[in-house]
mmCIF file of all heavy atoms in Angstrom:
data_model
loop_
_atom_site.group_PDB
_atom_site.id
_atom_site.type_symbol
_atom_site.label_atom_id
_atom_site.label_comp_id
_atom_site.label_asym_id
_atom_site.label_seq_id
_atom_site.Cartn_x
_atom_site.Cartn_y
_atom_site.Cartn_z
ATOM 1 N N GLY A 9 89.998 55.350 -26.084
ATOM 2 C CA GLY A 9 89.442 54.634 -24.960
ATOM 3 C C GLY A 9 88.480 53.501 -25.224
ATOM 4 O O GLY A 9 88.319 53.228 -26.465
ATOM 5 N N SER A 10 87.937 52.995 -24.237
ATOM 6 C CA SER A 10 87.040 51.823 -24.332
ATOM 7 C C SER A 10 85.775 51.981 -23.570
ATOM 8 O O SER A 10 85.627 52.709 -22.601
ATOM 9 C CB SER A 10 87.807 50.570 -23.765
ATOM 10 O OG SER A 10 88.982 50.302 -24.488
ATOM 11 N N LEU A 11 84.704 51.362 -24.149
ATOM 12 C CA LEU A 11 83.456 51.253 -23.420
ATOM 13 C C LEU A 11 82.886 49.862 -23.732
ATOM 14 O O LEU A 11 83.182 49.258 -24.782
ATOM 15 C CB LEU A 11 82.411 52.280 -24.011
ATOM 16 C CG LEU A 11 82.556 53.710 -23.659
ATOM 17 C CD1 LEU A 11 81.579 54.602 -24.400
ATOM 18 C CD2 LEU A 11 82.419 53.945 -22.075
ATOM 19 N N ARG A 12 82.119 49.424 -22.726
ATOM 20 C CA ARG A 12 81.394 48.214 -22.905
ATOM 21 C C ARG A 12 79.890 48.456 -22.751
ATOM 22 O O ARG A 12 79.463 48.774 -21.684
ATOM 23 C CB ARG A 12 81.743 47.064 -21.887
ATOM 24 C CG ARG A 12 81.186 45.717 -22.267
ATOM 25 C CD ARG A 12 81.532 44.675 -21.227
ATOM 26 N NE ARG A 12 80.858 44.747 -19.996
ATOM 27 C CZ ARG A 12 80.765 43.789 -19.071
ATOM 28 N NH1 ARG A 12 81.312 42.582 -19.358
ATOM 29 N NH2 ARG A 12 80.156 44.089 -17.896
ATOM 30 N N LEU A 13 79.150 48.178 -23.858
ATOM 31 C CA LEU A 13 77.695 48.376 -23.823
ATOM 32 C C LEU A 13 77.052 47.080 -23.467
ATOM 33 O O LEU A 13 77.603 46.003 -23.778
ATOM 34 C CB LEU A 13 77.236 48.772 -25.232
ATOM 35 C CG LEU A 13 77.945 49.986 -25.828
ATOM 36 C CD1 LEU A 13 77.183 50.389 -27.142
ATOM 37 C CD2 LEU A 13 77.836 51.172 -24.859
ATOM 38 N N SER A 14 76.034 47.064 -22.726
ATOM 39 C CA SER A 14 75.151 46.022 -22.446
ATOM 40 C C SER A 14 73.813 46.131 -22.865
ATOM 41 O O SER A 14 73.180 47.271 -22.934
ATOM 42 C CB SER A 14 75.166 45.728 -20.866
ATOM 43 O OG SER A 14 76.467 45.564 -20.345
ATOM 44 N N CYS A 15 73.292 44.938 -23.262
ATOM 45 C CA CYS A 15 71.742 44.926 -23.651
ATOM 46 C C CYS A 15 71.134 43.801 -22.821
ATOM 47 O O CYS A 15 71.509 42.531 -23.177
ATOM 48 C CB CYS A 15 71.738 44.717 -25.078
ATOM 49 S SG CYS A 15 70.047 44.412 -25.737
ATOM 50 N N THR A 16 70.242 44.039 -22.041
ATOM 51 C CA THR A 16 69.561 42.960 -21.315
ATOM 52 C C THR A 16 68.216 42.809 -21.808
ATOM 53 O O THR A 16 67.423 43.749 -22.078
ATOM 54 C CB THR A 16 69.428 43.377 -19.794
ATOM 55 O OG1 THR A 16 70.786 43.433 -19.204
ATOM 56 C CG2 THR A 16 68.692 42.316 -19.011
ATOM 57 N N ALA A 17 67.830 41.560 -22.187
ATOM 58 C CA ALA A 17 66.556 41.189 -22.822
ATOM 59 C C ALA A 17 65.670 40.476 -21.803
ATOM 60 O O ALA A 17 66.122 39.756 -20.934
ATOM 61 C CB ALA A 17 66.779 40.303 -23.926
ATOM 62 N N SER A 18 64.437 40.643 -22.007
ATOM 63 C CA SER A 18 63.297 40.050 -21.217
ATOM 64 C C SER A 18 62.144 39.714 -22.115
ATOM 65 O O SER A 18 61.981 40.391 -23.003
ATOM 66 C CB SER A 18 62.950 40.806 -19.891
ATOM 67 O OG SER A 18 62.297 42.073 -20.286
ATOM 68 N N GLY A 19 61.359 38.797 -21.530
ATOM 69 C CA GLY A 19 60.063 38.558 -22.269
ATOM 70 C C GLY A 19 59.958 37.201 -22.910
ATOM 71 O O GLY A 19 58.846 36.663 -23.001
ATOM 72 N N ARG A 20 61.030 36.742 -23.663
ATOM 73 C CA ARG A 20 61.117 35.474 -24.234
ATOM 74 C C ARG A 20 62.494 34.830 -24.073
ATOM 75 O O ARG A 20 63.449 35.494 -23.585
ATOM 76 C CB ARG A 20 60.807 35.538 -25.658
ATOM 77 C CG ARG A 20 59.370 35.890 -25.994
ATOM 78 C CD ARG A 20 59.076 36.008 -27.437
ATOM 79 N NE ARG A 20 57.607 36.284 -27.738
ATOM 80 C CZ ARG A 20 57.101 36.461 -28.912
ATOM 81 N NH1 ARG A 20 57.821 36.429 -30.025
ATOM 82 N NH2 ARG A 20 55.825 36.763 -29.011
ATOM 83 N N THR A 21 62.628 33.561 -24.429
ATOM 84 C CA THR A 21 63.907 32.893 -24.370
ATOM 85 C C THR A 21 65.030 33.663 -25.092
ATOM 86 O O THR A 21 64.960 33.695 -26.343
ATOM 87 C CB THR A 21 63.779 31.569 -24.883
ATOM 88 O OG1 THR A 21 62.803 30.834 -24.031
ATOM 89 C CG2 THR A 21 65.102 30.703 -24.591
ATOM 90 N N PHE A 22 66.072 34.118 -24.383
ATOM 91 C CA PHE A 22 67.049 35.011 -25.008
ATOM 92 C C PHE A 22 67.906 34.101 -26.014
ATOM 93 O O PHE A 22 68.270 34.661 -26.952
ATOM 94 C CB PHE A 22 67.839 35.548 -23.873
ATOM 95 C CG PHE A 22 69.042 36.382 -24.368
ATOM 96 C CD1 PHE A 22 68.892 37.717 -24.806
ATOM 97 C CD2 PHE A 22 70.367 35.710 -24.341
ATOM 98 C CE1 PHE A 22 70.063 38.356 -25.217
ATOM 99 C CE2 PHE A 22 71.503 36.540 -24.766
ATOM 100 C CZ PHE A 22 71.213 37.835 -25.144
ATOM 101 N N SER A 23 68.259 32.881 -25.654
ATOM 102 C CA SER A 23 69.185 32.051 -26.364
ATOM 103 C C SER A 23 68.743 31.825 -27.780
ATOM 104 O O SER A 23 69.612 31.550 -28.653
ATOM 105 C CB SER A 23 69.499 30.794 -25.693
ATOM 106 O OG SER A 23 68.281 30.098 -25.495
ATOM 107 N N SER A 24 67.468 31.984 -28.138
ATOM 108 C CA SER A 24 66.952 31.656 -29.426
ATOM 109 C C SER A 24 67.042 32.827 -30.366
ATOM 110 O O SER A 24 66.829 32.689 -31.614
ATOM 111 C CB SER A 24 65.528 31.140 -29.365
ATOM 112 O OG SER A 24 64.652 32.222 -28.975
ATOM 113 N N TYR A 25 67.489 33.888 -30.005
ATOM 114 C CA TYR A 25 67.537 35.237 -30.741
ATOM 115 C C TYR A 25 68.782 35.666 -31.131
ATOM 116 O O TYR A 25 69.858 35.387 -30.415
ATOM 117 C CB TYR A 25 67.040 36.409 -29.806
ATOM 118 C CG TYR A 25 65.308 36.410 -29.874
ATOM 119 C CD1 TYR A 25 64.642 35.593 -29.062
ATOM 120 C CD2 TYR A 25 64.722 37.300 -30.663
ATOM 121 C CE1 TYR A 25 63.249 35.563 -28.982
ATOM 122 C CE2 TYR A 25 63.293 37.357 -30.763
ATOM 123 C CZ TYR A 25 62.579 36.482 -29.863
ATOM 124 O OH TYR A 25 61.247 36.480 -29.770
ATOM 125 N N THR A 26 68.882 36.227 -32.352
ATOM 126 C CA THR A 26 70.112 36.857 -32.825
ATOM 127 C C THR A 26 70.056 38.223 -32.293
ATOM 128 O O THR A 26 68.967 38.930 -32.353
ATOM 129 C CB THR A 26 70.134 36.836 -34.346
ATOM 130 O OG1 THR A 26 70.364 35.565 -34.848
ATOM 131 C CG2 THR A 26 71.203 37.611 -34.926
ATOM 132 N N MET A 27 71.161 38.656 -31.753
ATOM 133 C CA MET A 27 71.267 40.027 -31.144
ATOM 134 C C MET A 27 72.139 40.875 -32.065
ATOM 135 O O MET A 27 73.159 40.388 -32.457
ATOM 136 C CB MET A 27 71.830 39.926 -29.748
ATOM 137 C CG MET A 27 71.054 38.966 -28.823
ATOM 138 S SD MET A 27 69.382 39.486 -28.582
ATOM 139 C CE MET A 27 69.689 41.058 -27.720
ATOM 140 N N GLY A 28 71.779 42.039 -32.117
ATOM 141 C CA GLY A 28 72.626 43.031 -33.007
ATOM 142 C C GLY A 28 72.690 44.339 -32.408
ATOM 143 O O GLY A 28 71.998 44.736 -31.473
ATOM 144 N N TRP A 29 73.754 45.016 -32.765
ATOM 145 C CA TRP A 29 74.000 46.458 -32.375
ATOM 146 C C TRP A 29 74.046 47.284 -33.591
ATOM 147 O O TRP A 29 74.746 46.937 -34.552
ATOM 148 C CB TRP A 29 75.349 46.576 -31.615
ATOM 149 C CG TRP A 29 75.352 46.059 -30.140
ATOM 150 C CD1 TRP A 29 75.767 44.756 -29.802
ATOM 151 C CD2 TRP A 29 74.898 46.712 -29.074
ATOM 152 N NE1 TRP A 29 75.560 44.638 -28.504
ATOM 153 C CE2 TRP A 29 75.073 45.779 -27.960
ATOM 154 C CE3 TRP A 29 74.297 47.978 -28.830
ATOM 155 C CZ2 TRP A 29 74.678 46.166 -26.683
ATOM 156 C CZ3 TRP A 29 73.977 48.320 -27.564
ATOM 157 C CH2 TRP A 29 74.087 47.354 -26.439
ATOM 158 N N PHE A 30 73.279 48.410 -33.554
ATOM 159 C CA PHE A 30 73.316 49.421 -34.606
ATOM 160 C C PHE A 30 73.591 50.749 -33.999
ATOM 161 O O PHE A 30 73.631 50.935 -32.863
ATOM 162 C CB PHE A 30 71.949 49.473 -35.227
ATOM 163 C CG PHE A 30 71.529 48.169 -35.992
ATOM 164 C CD1 PHE A 30 71.120 47.043 -35.386
ATOM 165 C CD2 PHE A 30 71.607 48.170 -37.386
ATOM 166 C CE1 PHE A 30 70.863 45.864 -35.953
ATOM 167 C CE2 PHE A 30 71.136 47.082 -38.047
ATOM 168 C CZ PHE A 30 70.829 45.852 -37.408
ATOM 169 N N ARG A 31 73.916 51.667 -34.858
ATOM 170 C CA ARG A 31 74.269 53.034 -34.350
ATOM 171 C C ARG A 31 73.776 54.096 -35.294
ATOM 172 O O ARG A 31 73.542 53.833 -36.559
ATOM 173 C CB ARG A 31 75.755 53.206 -34.045
ATOM 174 C CG ARG A 31 76.570 53.290 -35.357
ATOM 175 C CD ARG A 31 78.067 53.399 -34.829
ATOM 176 N NE ARG A 31 78.896 53.620 -36.044
ATOM 177 C CZ ARG A 31 80.228 53.721 -35.955
ATOM 178 N NH1 ARG A 31 80.911 53.487 -34.815
ATOM 179 N NH2 ARG A 31 80.955 53.984 -37.172
ATOM 180 N N GLN A 32 73.478 55.239 -34.773
ATOM 181 C CA GLN A 32 73.013 56.441 -35.614
ATOM 182 C C GLN A 32 73.654 57.614 -35.102
ATOM 183 O O GLN A 32 73.501 58.150 -33.948
ATOM 184 C CB GLN A 32 71.516 56.428 -35.610
ATOM 185 C CG GLN A 32 70.978 57.458 -36.622
ATOM 186 C CD GLN A 32 69.531 57.242 -36.828
ATOM 187 O OE1 GLN A 32 68.795 56.821 -35.901
ATOM 188 N NE2 GLN A 32 69.038 57.867 -37.959
ATOM 189 N N ALA A 33 74.397 58.301 -35.929
ATOM 190 C CA ALA A 33 75.028 59.603 -35.662
ATOM 191 C C ALA A 33 74.164 60.719 -36.182
ATOM 192 O O ALA A 33 73.317 60.472 -37.099
ATOM 193 C CB ALA A 33 76.400 59.735 -36.270
ATOM 194 N N PRO A 34 74.197 61.853 -35.599
ATOM 195 C CA PRO A 34 73.414 62.959 -36.022
ATOM 196 C C PRO A 34 73.417 63.182 -37.559
ATOM 197 O O PRO A 34 74.553 63.332 -38.084
ATOM 198 C CB PRO A 34 73.905 64.212 -35.312
ATOM 199 C CG PRO A 34 74.525 63.615 -34.049
ATOM 200 C CD PRO A 34 75.033 62.240 -34.401
ATOM 201 N N GLY A 35 72.349 63.377 -38.238
ATOM 202 C CA GLY A 35 72.359 63.486 -39.656
ATOM 203 C C GLY A 35 72.633 62.263 -40.531
ATOM 204 O O GLY A 35 72.777 62.419 -41.739
ATOM 205 N N LYS A 36 72.823 61.255 -39.830
ATOM 206 C CA LYS A 36 73.253 59.932 -40.640
ATOM 207 C C LYS A 36 72.249 58.912 -40.497
ATOM 208 O O LYS A 36 71.373 58.940 -39.552
ATOM 209 C CB LYS A 36 74.604 59.513 -40.035
ATOM 210 C CG LYS A 36 75.725 60.334 -40.143
ATOM 211 C CD LYS A 36 76.222 60.744 -41.548
ATOM 212 C CE LYS A 36 77.443 61.553 -41.515
ATOM 213 N NZ LYS A 36 77.935 61.801 -42.941
ATOM 214 N N ASP A 37 72.214 58.096 -41.487
ATOM 215 C CA ASP A 37 71.269 56.793 -41.381
ATOM 216 C C ASP A 37 71.761 55.920 -40.283
ATOM 217 O O ASP A 37 72.908 55.817 -39.971
ATOM 218 C CB ASP A 37 71.200 56.106 -42.645
ATOM 219 C CG ASP A 37 70.581 56.928 -43.744
ATOM 220 O OD1 ASP A 37 69.732 57.840 -43.394
ATOM 221 O OD2 ASP A 37 70.874 56.781 -44.985
ATOM 222 N N ARG A 38 70.877 55.171 -39.750
ATOM 223 C CA ARG A 38 71.246 54.018 -38.800
ATOM 224 C C ARG A 38 72.094 53.048 -39.569
ATOM 225 O O ARG A 38 71.682 52.646 -40.760
ATOM 226 C CB ARG A 38 70.065 53.451 -38.179
ATOM 227 C CG ARG A 38 70.275 52.439 -37.106
ATOM 228 C CD ARG A 38 69.090 51.980 -36.538
ATOM 229 N NE ARG A 38 68.430 53.115 -35.777
ATOM 230 C CZ ARG A 38 67.298 52.943 -35.029
ATOM 231 N NH1 ARG A 38 66.738 51.806 -34.758
ATOM 232 N NH2 ARG A 38 66.756 53.995 -34.388
ATOM 233 N N GLU A 39 73.123 52.514 -38.989
ATOM 234 C CA GLU A 39 74.036 51.513 -39.578
ATOM 235 C C GLU A 39 74.333 50.343 -38.745
ATOM 236 O O GLU A 39 74.293 50.493 -37.456
ATOM 237 C CB GLU A 39 75.303 52.219 -40.030
ATOM 238 C CG GLU A 39 76.161 52.738 -38.989
ATOM 239 C CD GLU A 39 77.447 53.362 -39.490
ATOM 240 O OE1 GLU A 39 77.801 53.168 -40.677
ATOM 241 O OE2 GLU A 39 78.120 54.084 -38.660
ATOM 242 N N PHE A 40 74.598 49.327 -39.325
ATOM 243 C CA PHE A 40 74.877 48.040 -38.621
ATOM 244 C C PHE A 40 76.235 48.138 -38.064
ATOM 245 O O PHE A 40 77.130 48.599 -38.644
ATOM 246 C CB PHE A 40 74.805 46.862 -39.574
ATOM 247 C CG PHE A 40 75.273 45.574 -39.020
ATOM 248 C CD1 PHE A 40 74.476 44.896 -38.058
ATOM 249 C CD2 PHE A 40 76.540 45.014 -39.393
ATOM 250 C CE1 PHE A 40 74.853 43.663 -37.545
ATOM 251 C CE2 PHE A 40 76.945 43.794 -38.900
ATOM 252 C CZ PHE A 40 76.189 43.083 -37.966
ATOM 253 N N VAL A 41 76.355 47.610 -36.857
ATOM 254 C CA VAL A 41 77.737 47.501 -36.203
ATOM 255 C C VAL A 41 78.141 46.068 -36.022
ATOM 256 O O VAL A 41 79.240 45.693 -36.421
ATOM 257 C CB VAL A 41 77.643 48.132 -34.719
ATOM 258 C CG1 VAL A 41 78.954 48.151 -34.075
ATOM 259 C CG2 VAL A 41 77.340 49.668 -34.874
ATOM 260 N N ALA A 42 77.368 45.218 -35.329
ATOM 261 C CA ALA A 42 77.788 43.824 -35.116
ATOM 262 C C ALA A 42 76.589 43.088 -34.738
ATOM 263 O O ALA A 42 75.472 43.607 -34.293
ATOM 264 C CB ALA A 42 78.743 43.807 -33.954
ATOM 265 N N ALA A 43 76.660 41.754 -34.937
ATOM 266 C CA ALA A 43 75.576 40.827 -34.455
ATOM 267 C C ALA A 43 76.107 39.541 -33.932
ATOM 268 O O ALA A 43 77.263 39.279 -34.349
ATOM 269 C CB ALA A 43 74.496 40.591 -35.566
ATOM 270 N N ILE A 44 75.374 38.791 -33.244
ATOM 271 C CA ILE A 44 75.756 37.488 -32.724
ATOM 272 C C ILE A 44 74.494 36.613 -32.819
ATOM 273 O O ILE A 44 73.444 37.000 -32.173
ATOM 274 C CB ILE A 44 76.365 37.502 -31.437
ATOM 275 C CG1 ILE A 44 76.816 36.107 -30.976
ATOM 276 C CG2 ILE A 44 75.524 38.147 -30.281
ATOM 277 C CD1 ILE A 44 77.804 36.124 -29.731
ATOM 278 N N ASN A 45 74.635 35.448 -33.462
ATOM 279 C CA ASN A 45 73.310 34.719 -33.627
ATOM 280 C C ASN A 45 73.183 33.682 -32.505
ATOM 281 O O ASN A 45 74.041 33.557 -31.583
ATOM 282 C CB ASN A 45 73.355 34.061 -35.034
ATOM 283 C CG ASN A 45 74.150 32.867 -35.288
ATOM 284 O OD1 ASN A 45 74.905 32.349 -34.309
ATOM 285 N ND2 ASN A 45 74.134 32.289 -36.422
ATOM 286 N N TRP A 46 72.195 32.822 -32.727
ATOM 287 C CA TRP A 46 71.866 31.820 -31.548
ATOM 288 C C TRP A 46 72.965 30.872 -31.392
ATOM 289 O O TRP A 46 73.019 30.211 -30.233
ATOM 290 C CB TRP A 46 70.625 31.180 -31.964
ATOM 291 C CG TRP A 46 70.737 30.229 -33.250
ATOM 292 C CD1 TRP A 46 70.471 30.686 -34.495
ATOM 293 C CD2 TRP A 46 70.987 28.863 -33.236
ATOM 294 N NE1 TRP A 46 70.783 29.652 -35.302
ATOM 295 C CE2 TRP A 46 70.980 28.545 -34.586
ATOM 296 C CE3 TRP A 46 71.333 27.979 -32.322
ATOM 297 C CZ2 TRP A 46 71.374 27.258 -35.000
ATOM 298 C CZ3 TRP A 46 71.671 26.668 -32.715
ATOM 299 C CH2 TRP A 46 71.631 26.302 -34.038
ATOM 300 N N ASN A 47 73.843 30.640 -32.401
ATOM 301 C CA ASN A 47 74.879 29.618 -32.302
ATOM 302 C C ASN A 47 76.251 30.385 -32.067
ATOM 303 O O ASN A 47 77.276 29.740 -32.301
ATOM 304 C CB ASN A 47 75.003 28.870 -33.554
ATOM 305 C CG ASN A 47 75.721 27.499 -33.364
ATOM 306 O OD1 ASN A 47 75.702 26.829 -32.279
ATOM 307 N ND2 ASN A 47 76.446 27.066 -34.431
ATOM 308 N N ASP A 48 76.153 31.629 -31.661
ATOM 309 C CA ASP A 48 77.431 32.367 -31.254
ATOM 310 C C ASP A 48 78.235 32.653 -32.492
ATOM 311 O O ASP A 48 79.472 33.016 -32.348
ATOM 312 C CB ASP A 48 78.246 31.717 -30.241
ATOM 313 C CG ASP A 48 77.554 31.634 -28.898
ATOM 314 O OD1 ASP A 48 76.692 32.565 -28.576
ATOM 315 O OD2 ASP A 48 77.923 30.840 -28.088
ATOM 316 N N PHE A 49 77.726 32.661 -33.647
ATOM 317 C CA PHE A 49 78.374 33.080 -34.858
ATOM 318 C C PHE A 49 78.315 34.603 -34.920
ATOM 319 O O PHE A 49 77.225 35.164 -34.759
ATOM 320 C CB PHE A 49 77.832 32.519 -36.100
ATOM 321 C CG PHE A 49 78.530 32.860 -37.398
ATOM 322 C CD1 PHE A 49 79.583 31.768 -37.780
ATOM 323 C CD2 PHE A 49 78.386 33.922 -38.319
ATOM 324 C CE1 PHE A 49 80.309 32.081 -38.838
ATOM 325 C CE2 PHE A 49 79.062 34.090 -39.291
ATOM 326 C CZ PHE A 49 80.154 33.142 -39.660
ATOM 327 N N THR A 50 79.446 35.366 -35.214
ATOM 328 C CA THR A 50 79.399 36.856 -35.113
ATOM 329 C C THR A 50 79.506 37.411 -36.479
ATOM 330 O O THR A 50 80.087 36.921 -37.370
ATOM 331 C CB THR A 50 80.524 37.298 -34.246
ATOM 332 O OG1 THR A 50 81.863 36.766 -34.695
ATOM 333 C CG2 THR A 50 80.331 36.806 -32.724
ATOM 334 N N TYR A 51 79.023 38.634 -36.603
ATOM 335 C CA TYR A 51 79.050 39.502 -37.801
ATOM 336 C C TYR A 51 79.512 40.828 -37.359
ATOM 337 O O TYR A 51 79.032 41.448 -36.359
ATOM 338 C CB TYR A 51 77.609 39.544 -38.321
ATOM 339 C CG TYR A 51 76.928 38.261 -38.613
ATOM 340 C CD1 TYR A 51 76.311 37.505 -37.526
ATOM 341 C CD2 TYR A 51 76.812 37.709 -39.786
ATOM 342 C CE1 TYR A 51 75.649 36.412 -37.604
ATOM 343 C CE2 TYR A 51 76.144 36.528 -40.030
ATOM 344 C CZ TYR A 51 75.597 35.868 -38.972
ATOM 345 O OH TYR A 51 74.906 34.621 -39.112
ATOM 346 N N TYR A 52 80.282 41.438 -38.223
ATOM 347 C CA TYR A 52 80.848 42.793 -37.919
ATOM 348 C C TYR A 52 80.845 43.630 -39.263
ATOM 349 O O TYR A 52 81.036 43.157 -40.390
ATOM 350 C CB TYR A 52 82.280 42.744 -37.505
ATOM 351 C CG TYR A 52 82.457 42.101 -36.026
ATOM 352 C CD1 TYR A 52 82.753 40.777 -36.011
ATOM 353 C CD2 TYR A 52 82.115 42.786 -34.913
ATOM 354 C CE1 TYR A 52 82.892 40.199 -34.694
ATOM 355 C CE2 TYR A 52 82.259 42.164 -33.691
ATOM 356 C CZ TYR A 52 82.649 40.929 -33.582
ATOM 357 O OH TYR A 52 82.856 40.262 -32.373
ATOM 358 N N ALA A 53 80.528 44.924 -38.983
ATOM 359 C CA ALA A 53 80.629 45.974 -39.997
ATOM 360 C C ALA A 53 82.132 46.148 -40.412
ATOM 361 O O ALA A 53 82.987 45.881 -39.523
ATOM 362 C CB ALA A 53 79.973 47.270 -39.637
#
């Protein structure tokens, strides 16, 4: 199946920030999932 996660930011100019998604399963370390920088360049695990 599919899900779409959303992350809404406030407090400062959103466009200047790199945004990332991380995840942590029980008993596991937190790990990187994906990121998108200010210029819309993307990164994926």
Side-chain angles (χ1 to χ4, degrees):
S10 298
L11 285 173
R12 188 180 73 161
L13 307 183
S14 299
C15 174
T16 298
S18 63
R20 291 182 178 175
T21 303
F22 176 80
S23 62
S24 67
Y25 279 79
T26 294
M27 305 297 297
W29 288 96
F30 295 75
R31 70 185 189 184
Q32 187 167 23
K36 303 289 186 178
D37 292 333
R38 187 172 297 185
E39 64 180 344
F40 171 77
V41 178
I44 182 166
N45 77 1
W46 64 273
N47 202 34
D48 291 337
F49 192 89
T50 57
Y51 309 76
Y52 294 99

